[in-house]
Structures are given as structure tokens and as C-alpha cells.
Amino acid sequence: SASEHLNLFFITVCLVTNGLSIFYYGNKQIEIISLLINFVSFAFIMIRNNILSINLLAMLAVAGISTAFTFVLYGGGGSIINYFIVVFLLCVFPRLSFSKKQIRYLYFLAACILTINLLLFKKIFAYGALNHLETYDGNLLNNNMFGIFSLLALYFSLCWLSETKIKKKLKVFIGVCVFCFFGYYIYISECRSALLALIIFFLFLIFKKRPFKGSTASKIVLFAFTTSVIFVLFYLFLNTKNITWTIFGKNLFSGREYVWSNVADLLKTHFVFGTGGSIPVIERANGDLTTSAHHTLLSSMYCFGIIPTVIFIYVFYRAIKDHKSFIVPRIAQFAILSSLIIIYFE
């Protein structure tokens, strides 16, 4: 229908602009343009497809008022726009309908955009290990971001492959090649959250032959968000015991304890409206500073405060729980649910 084609057009524009922002990572002008295009596109889709219910409008209004106070007090306009893009996306995608051909196209486009960027990143190796990465403009890219982009490219490729109509043997062969290629990128990135997500994904594939029901998937989401907070507390507790653990070749306590401890202290005085991401916190023992909390819920609290964070969790939960709208193929659902492990670390 005309509505489906218009939705597809706006989503295509968003994917392309996001791809450009990755290609020119660190270029503030392109990042701002990409944020504005995404914001306007998803807002338009919500309005055109009558997704804005009274309850949703009320929640968005409350989040808008809270983040407006954050912006006036501390700034952080880009982070606020990004927050609403994520909320809009969670509201939009479960309620849009596309043909299988259009879904294959979106999977393929996303996989291509990510793969091209991964190939074009300049990879600097030292002593056989990936030391750092540079973008087209020469800006440095975090290894963890490279690992997560590789994981997403793998997931989109597998989702596209699962929807294609080709012989099973050929599909398996292509799947193995795709896994080896992106798996290698995830391995050299040393991104533990991406490695854990990949392990969970394959455990789902091995032991779960059908997708989870909407109610079960929503419980997994709540479990992930709840345990991610408990994990931070337990992590900080273990750090006080001077324990040394190695996971995937890295010390368990590799800097997160400094960030989380300092963010927790900061939230004692910025619990309601956050900081807009404008107050740096200590990242490592040597005193390096960062404005990233390296944890999804802590990042939301750190930037926006309690109210937008609670609304984000609720919208995420509802998007998954509404099984009538959250009808996705097995591979796609497992990719989404396995990726939840990332909220513990990024």
C-alpha cells in the first residue's frame, strides 16, 4: 500500500543517514543532521499511522517536560533527541506491517551499510591484536563499538538469509561464511558484551526451536533490566574484595568499577533530572574522564534522571509484551533478546 511504501521510504532514509554518521564518526554536524532526520521521520510515522494513543502522548509529555528541565539546567540536547528517537522506534516498529519482500530489503540494506563501514574502518594492529580503529576522517573508534557494529551486521545478515528462498545447503554455506567473517571481527574487537550476546544467540538457536511468546519475551526483558542493576551492585561489591577474574582474556575489573562508582555518587545529587551527560566521571585509575556510564540504565539515569528512564523501560517492555504486534521470525527475535546482554556493559 501507499502507507507501507511511505514508511519504508522514511526508514530507508534513516538507515542511510545513520550509515553516513557511522562513516563520518566523530563529525558533529553529520551526527546532528542524522539525529534530526531520524527524529522527524519516526515522529511523522507515529502521527501518520495513528500510533499516538492518549496514554503514550501523556508519557511523552511527561518525558518531554523532564528532559526540558535537564536541557535548561545542564544541556545535552543531542542526547535528549537520541532518547526520543529510541522511544519512537520502540513505539513504531512493533506496530508497522511490511511485506516479506520489504522486510528482506530492510535486513539486506542494514547489513550492507554496516558491512561497508566495517570494511572501510582503518584497523591498526599491534603485536597481532587490534590496537585501535580510525574512521574515514581519521577519528578514533572504540573497539567495543566496532564489536557491536559487527554483531549487528551479523544479525541483520542472518535475518536476511533466513527470509531468502534459496536451497537449504546453499543457505547453510552462506550462513557459515557470514558467521566466520563477522565472528572474526567480533573476536579481534575483544568486545565481551558482543561475544556474550553471540553465545546466548546460539544457545537460543540450539535449545529453542520456536520463538518465545510475547509474555515470555517481556519477562526476559524485565529480567535483563532488573539483573543489570543487581549486576552493577554485585560487581562493585566484588571489586572491594580485591578479586582478580579473567573473562575472554580481559580482567573482569577493567575500568567499569570506576565509572559505575562515580556515576552512582553523581546520581545522589542528580537523581531527578540527571546531568545531560555534561558532567564527566572518572573512567580509569589513572584519572581519565568520560561522559559514558557504560551501562544502559545508568546512562539513562546519568543523562536524563529517573522519570525518562522509567518511561524507557515501560515502552520497551510494552513493545515486547504486545505479542500481537511483536510477531517476528525466530532468528530476529533471538537476535533482539540475546542483544539484551549489552545493556549490562554499554
Side-chain angles (χ1 to χ4, degrees), residues 37-217:
I37 290 174
N38 277 264
F39 181 85
V40 171
S41 296
F42 284 117
F44 179 82
I45 292 173
M46 288 181 69
I47 295 170
R48 180 176 175 80
N49 292 272
N50 298 318
I51 294 173
L52 289 169
S53 63
I54 295 176
N55 290 337
L56 181 57
L57 277 172
M59 284 193 297
L60 291 176
V62 171
I65 293 170
S66 181
T67 53
F69 275 103
T70 301
F71 178 71
V72 170
L73 292 170
Y74 307 108
S79 297
I80 292 169
I81 293 173
N82 202 35
Y83 167 83
F84 280 102
I85 290 172
V86 173
V87 171
F88 290 170
L89 187 147
L90 289 170
C91 295
V92 165
F93 266 102
R95 291 166 178 81
L96 294 182
S97 60
F98 294 109
S99 67
K100 287 192 173 184
K101 183 179 180 180
Q102 290 171 330
I103 291 172
R104 285 197 301 271
Y105 159 75
L106 289 175
Y107 285 149
F108 183 76
L109 178 62
C112 286
I113 289 172
L114 286 166
T115 303
I116 291 170
N117 275 294
L118 290 170
L119 291 171
L120 292 177
F121 288 143
K122 186 178 180 181
K123 304 163 189 70
I124 311 299
F125 289 85
Y127 303 105
L130 184 64
N131 187 26
H132 69 273
L133 298 115
E134 294 180 2
T135 64
Y136 174 78
D137 282 346
N139 294 314
L140 294 179
L141 180 74
N142 185 279
N143 283 24
N144 286 342
M145 291 300 297
F146 180 75
I148 291 172
F149 288 152
S150 301
L151 179 72
L152 291 174
L154 172 61
Y155 282 167
F156 280 121
S157 299
L158 293 178
C159 287
W160 168 78
L161 188 61
S162 68
E163 294 295 314
T164 56
K165 296 180 180 179
I166 58 177
K167 292 181 178 180
K168 187 176 180 180
K169 289 183 178 180
L170 180 59
K171 186 178 290 190
V172 171
F173 174 75
I174 296 173
V176 171
C177 292
V178 165
F179 170 75
C180 291
F181 178 76
F182 292 115
Y184 169 72
Y185 272 3
I186 294 171
Y187 173 74
I188 64 173
S189 74
E190 298 183 350
C191 178
R192 288 173 292 182
S193 54
L195 285 168
L196 285 171
L198 194 56
I199 291 170
I200 294 170
F201 175 76
F202 277 102
L203 288 176
F204 281 157
L205 286 180
I206 293 169
F207 296 107
K208 193 80 172 101
K209 301 304 179 184
R210 293 183 180 181
F212 291 100
K213 293 181 179 179
S215 58
T216 304

Side-chain angles (χ1 to χ4, degrees), residues 126 168 275 309:
K168 187 176 180 180
T275 68
T309 302

Side-chain angles (χ1 to χ4, degrees), residues 215-290:
S215 58
T216 304
S218 63
K219 290 176 183 176
I220 294 174
V221 170
L222 282 182
F223 175 81
F225 279 120
T226 303
T227 54
S228 72
V229 176
I230 296 172
F231 174 75
V232 169
L233 299 175
F234 184 61
Y235 190 97
L236 293 176
F237 169 76
L238 288 179
N239 185 48
T240 63
K241 302 300 180 181
N242 296 318
I243 299 172
T244 302
W245 287 349
T246 301
I247 297 180
F248 297 131
K250 282 186 177 181
N251 189 341
L252 178 64
F253 305 103
S254 57
R256 294 290 192 270
E257 65 274 17
Y258 294 102
V259 177
W260 293 343
S261 178
N262 282 276
V263 169
D265 289 338
L266 198 60
L267 289 177
K268 293 175 183 178
T269 53
H270 296 80
F271 183 76
V272 179
F273 298 119
T275 68
S278 61
I279 302 178
V281 294
I282 296 174
E283 184 175 26
R284 292 185 177 88
N286 61 7
D288 288 350
L289 298 177
T290 182

Side-chain angles (χ1 to χ4, degrees), residues 325-344:
S325 61
F326 190 70
I327 299 176
V328 293
R330 174 170 167 260
I331 299 292
Q333 190 196 67
F334 291 171
I336 294 169
L337 295 179
S338 64
S339 297
L340 288 171
I341 193 65
I342 295 173
I343 71 174
Y344 291 72

